[in-house]
Amino acid sequence: MREAARGIARLFTPALIVTSPLVRARETAEILAGAFAKAPPLEARDELATGDDRSLLDWLNRRDADAVMWVGHEPFMSWSLSFLLT
């Protein structure tokens, strides 16, 4: 994950990293945040552990963040991506 995070950090810098509150996702989000020159803030949201896309998107729409990174779990991440693309 550390190597992948360094590669991601060369591509873009999120204004916010939103993570599931579950331990493994939170640890991954912390690794990602540490790869950026200026670590973006981390915020835990239950929606990323439950797959509640509508609630998560409503919350995100009220945030002032133009680039957001999500750290969550399967199958919810695939479902979320599908939801966003359709």
Side-chain angles (χ1 to χ4, degrees):
M1 188 65 237
R2 292 184 203 300
E3 185 177 341
R6 285 191 300 272
I8 291 168
R10 285 187 291 227
L11 299 174
F12 84 107
T13 300
L16 174 66
I17 298 176
V18 184
T19 182
S20 159
L22 301 180
V23 173
R24 181 70 182 200
R26 181 95 182 161
E27 291 170 347
T28 300
E30 289 169 356
I31 291 169
L32 285 164
F36 296 99
K38 181 181 178 213
L42 292 176
E43 190 149 347
R45 298 293 302 182
D46 289 336
E47 294 93 330
L48 282 170
T50 64
D52 187 355
D53 294 322
R54 291 193 188 277
S55 179
L56 182 61
L57 291 175
D58 287 344
W59 175 80
L60 281 171
N61 282 330
R62 294 188 304 272
R63 303 287 303 192
D64 184 26
D66 59 347
V68 178
M69 181 179 284
W70 290 3
V71 181
H73 315 275
E74 288 297 343
F76 301 125
M77 292 301 290
S78 293
W79 294 346
S80 297
L81 181 57
S82 177
F83 180 77
L84 289 171
L85 291 172
T86 58

